[in-house]
Amino acid sequence: MSDIILKTEGLTKHYGGVHALEDANFEIRKGEHVAIMGDNGAGKSTFVRQITAVEQRTRGKVIFDGEEVDFSGPLDAREAGIETVFQNLALADDLDVPSNLFLGRELRLFNLGPFSILNNRAMRKATEEGLKRTGVKIPNLSNSIRNMSGGQRQCVAIARTATFASKLTIMDEPTAALGVQETAQVENIIRTLKESGESLIIVSHNMRQVFDLVDRIVVFRRGRIVANLKREETDGQDVVAYITGAKTGAEYEGAA
Amino acid sequence: MAEAAASADIFGGRKKKRHWPPELNALVGLIGICIIFEVLGWFLRDQSFLGNTVRLKIMILQVSIIGIIAIGVTQVIVLGGIDLSSGSVVGATAMIAMSFAQVGTYDRAVFAELGWVDLPVIVPILVGLLCGIVAGLINGVLIAYTKIPPFIATLGMMVSARGVASWWTKGQPVSFPTDSFAALGQGMMPVFLFLAIALLFHLVLKYTIYGKHTYAIGSNEEAARMSGINVERHKVLVYAIAGMLAGFAALVLAARGLTAQSGMGIMYELDAIAMAVIGGVSLSGGRGSIVGTTIGMLIFGVIISGFTFLRLDAYYQDMIKGAIIVAAVVADQYRQRRRAMES
Ligand SMILES: Nc1ncnc2c1ncn2[C@@H]1O[C@H](COP(=O)(O)OP(=O)(O)OP(=O)(O)O)[C@@H](O)[C@H]1O
Ligand SMILES: [Mg+2]
């Protein structure tokens, strides 16, 4: 078995006439942390949505953990081992922290199909453990998350990915709305993931963060991948040149 | 331990605020309204409003049948939808189910020629529940899969089901049920049935995956979908259950009156929605509870019975009822705006 955890071949998504993602060839090794950068509307979130089967791709292949996969929905992807923090967080405001963490895969006391009895105690306990592991502190777990700060909500979304064993974690702009302290907190969680050997794809606009955290930077521009850069072999200016279109990676010539 | 964590909260700043649950608001409102009627009673009629247990019994009997509908409607509204069809579904279901409950000694029974008379009570009950479920399924499928707005889909069902109610016997009432069927509606039975159903769905909403997903979809449908919940299937299920409860209410109503007429249940959908909204169920979805709706139902009942007690004309009663519904919605929107401002 190869050590490639995820690979896409010719991944493409069109929304009617909008070519949001075009022919993306991407790969990430086990334990590797990769950043996806690019301007607004470059297709980063679209890429994430195709991998996680939130949307169905127009064409292309997704190979996860050595096998070609065709997830029918986000739950499939989660069950296969892809945990995602979506850009819009995907939290239900009126539910409390444990309910949000386990949304869509609640623990059951008795299985009665849709009327299965929830195992609230076990979910609460797992939530406490998950939060402890990520160092996230939430004052009161049984409050609905509506009244939580942006940072706390973000941490709930991130703790959700950390609570479940996964093979690949994807975070779409996890620190976009956060203050300095909260950003540091999230970055610490990401370092923990690195130490425990988990693979990560992080979408970010923050150059410092990217250079602090990841092994490799992939640049998207207008729906296409235009660069694939090792962190040690590049610098901020270089990356900006690719993002803005001043430069295009040698192997991607003619693509954009 | 949660308290200990609060002091160590790195985000600090945000003070823990006690949130006054809307059910408590409704309860305070209920008590307040009772006091107002009591005082008015002494001033205007020289007698006690609450002291009259017969009046209270009649009041509770009146509201508990619509209360059964309101339990289904609550779930639909929590889901982020609306159901305008329940009143008409009551009409259609009552007519159809009653035809299976008639006694053989009545020679003009709908199915007299087929010999379908004096059937065991379970038959009309199952037929009634089935009618409600079918109506709910149609609502649910239209809303979830054809993406027709709930308001429109259930409005269509409201009109069509009323049509079914008149078509069934070409407008003739269906009467003379068997004793065992009539028992469903006699004495305080409707109240007990309401309580049993309310308790059941209170538990279901609070402790099962069904309940959790209903709140999740009403709260943030997109998030629910991204979390892997089968949103469409769940919507169909919730509408089907709401339809089933409307069907059950129809059985109790027909049994209580010993007859079914095509005009039964007119405007019940609005009363049921009003009960839910008065009880703190948010029309924007995600918030509300059976406890709240039950209190809302009592408020509704107390107001109606209070007006009768004060000898207010039925015209004024309807006008004020309308005003109360609007007031409850305004209060809900005010609560939402305040919430949005806080966060
Ligand atoms: N559901 C949709 N229907 C039509 N067009 C869409 C849809 N979703 C995204 N797009 C378009 O696809 C393009 C890529 O969007 P995407 O959200 O992937 O950008 P992004 O790189 O994540 O940007 P940002 O940094 O702002 O998050 C944009 O032009 C956007 O308008
Ligand atoms: Mg994006």
Side-chain angles (χ1 to χ4, degrees), chain A residues 145-217:
Chain A
I145 65 163
R146 177 180 298 280
N147 299 305
M148 291 185 180
S149 70
Q152 287 174 322
R153 293 160 57 83
Q154 192 76 50
C155 285
V156 170
I158 290 172
R160 170 158 66 182
T161 68
T163 306
F164 298 91
S166 67
K167 296 173 181 163
L168 172 66
T169 305
I170 304 176
M171 298 185 185
D172 195 350
E173 304 197 27
T175 61
L178 301 188
V180 179
Q181 242 186 348
E182 291 98 327
T183 302
Q185 169 87 18
V186 171
E187 288 172 358
N188 276 334
I189 297 175
I190 294 174
R191 287 194 189 90
T192 328
L193 290 178
K194 182 77 190 169
E195 279 157 23
S196 54
E198 286 203 38
S199 330
L200 170 86
I201 298 174
I202 177 173
V203 178
S204 176
H205 289 287
N206 183 332
M207 203 64 77
R208 177 207 51 79
Q209 176 177 68
V210 165
F211 277 88
D212 274 359
L213 293 174
V214 306
D215 308 308
R216 197 151 56 80
I217 299 164

Side-chain angles (χ1 to χ4, degrees), chain A residues 15 18 20 39-46 49 55 87 173 205:
Chain A
Y15 298 104
V18 182
D39 258 340
N40 296 117
K44 308 180 294 294
S45 300
T46 304
R49 287 195 297 267
E55 296 168 350
Q87 189 165 6
E173 304 197 27
H205 289 287

Side-chain angles (χ1 to χ4, degrees), chain B residues 20-156:
Chain B
W20 194 256
E23 288 84 3
L24 223 50
N25 279 337
L27 190 61
V28 171
L30 175 62
I31 295 169
I33 290 167
C34 285
I35 293 173
I36 289 172
F37 279 121
E38 185 67 26
V39 171
L40 285 176
W42 283 111
F43 270 104
L44 301 176
R45 303 236 8 234
D46 222 11
Q47 53 173 282
S48 168
F49 173 63
L50 295 171
N52 187 337
T53 48
V54 174
R55 174 165 37 243
L56 292 185
K57 243 168 114 172
I58 292 173
M59 183 272 282
I60 294 201
L61 262 172
Q62 270 175 345
V63 290
S64 54
I65 294 180
I66 303 182
I68 295 173
I69 303 172
I71 289 171
V73 166
T74 298
Q75 299 173 49
V76 167
I77 299 179
V78 167
L79 181 78
I82 193 85
D83 187 353
L84 297 177
S85 69
S86 29
S88 299
V89 170
V90 165
T93 304
M95 297 295 284
I96 297 173
M98 192 67 155
S99 322
F100 292 86
Q102 289 177 299
V103 290
T105 47
Y106 179 48
D107 55 358
R108 286 171 56 206
V110 176
F111 292 131
E113 285 159 31
L114 295 172
W116 289 357
V117 284
D118 288 322
L119 295 172
V121 65
I122 189 71
V123 176
I125 290 179
L126 288 181
V127 168
L129 295 180
L130 195 70
C131 286
I133 291 172
V134 168
L137 279 178
I138 295 174
N139 283 336
V141 168
L142 286 177
I143 290 160
Y145 292 101
T146 16
K147 312 280 176 203
I148 295 172
F151 184 88
I152 303 298
T154 59
L155 188 72

Side-chain angles (χ1 to χ4, degrees), chain A residues 6-71:
Chain A
L6 176 87
K7 185 178 167 124
T8 69
E9 286 174 10
L11 195 59
T12 299
K13 178 70 183 179
H14 296 171
Y15 298 104
V18 182
H19 295 199
L21 186 68
E22 197 65 57
D23 203 20
N25 298 310
F26 174 95
E27 61 180 45
I28 173 169
R29 291 194 313 280
K30 284 182 182 148
E32 194 182 22
H33 281 198
V34 175
I36 292 181
M37 301 194 79
D39 258 340
N40 296 117
K44 308 180 294 294
S45 300
T46 304
F47 179 69
V48 171
R49 287 195 297 267
Q50 309 317 306
I51 298 173
T52 51
V54 169
E55 296 168 350
Q56 292 304 317
R57 55 187 185 260
T58 305
R59 64 173 169 269
K61 269 201 233 172
V62 176
I63 297 129
F64 180 66
D65 206 13
E67 274 174 49
E68 189 174 341
V69 289
D70 194 5
F71 302 130

Side-chain angles (χ1 to χ4, degrees), chain A residues 74 78 86 90-94 99 103-104 106 108 114-118 137 139 146-147 152 181-182 185, chain B residues 1-2 8-11 14 19 207-210 212-213 215-216 219-220 223 225-228 286-287 339 343:
Chain A
R78 287 170 85 176
F86 291 102
L91 298 172
D93 277 353
D94 297 299
S99 304
L103 197 58
E106 292 81 2
R108 297 152 191 233
F115 298 100
S116 298
I117 313 290
L118 297 164
K137 295 194 179 66
R146 177 180 298 280
N147 299 305
Q152 287 174 322
Q181 242 186 348
E182 291 98 327
Q185 169 87 18
Chain B
M1 78 211 101
D9 176 19
I10 60 151
F11 302 109
R14 198 153 273 261
H19 270 278
Y207 297 108
T208 71
I209 288 188
Y210 169 85
K212 195 60 84 186
H213 288 185
Y215 283 94
S219 184
N220 186 344
R225 191 169 282 120
M226 283 186 171
S227 306
R287 263 169 297 135
R339 259 206 190 86
S343 53

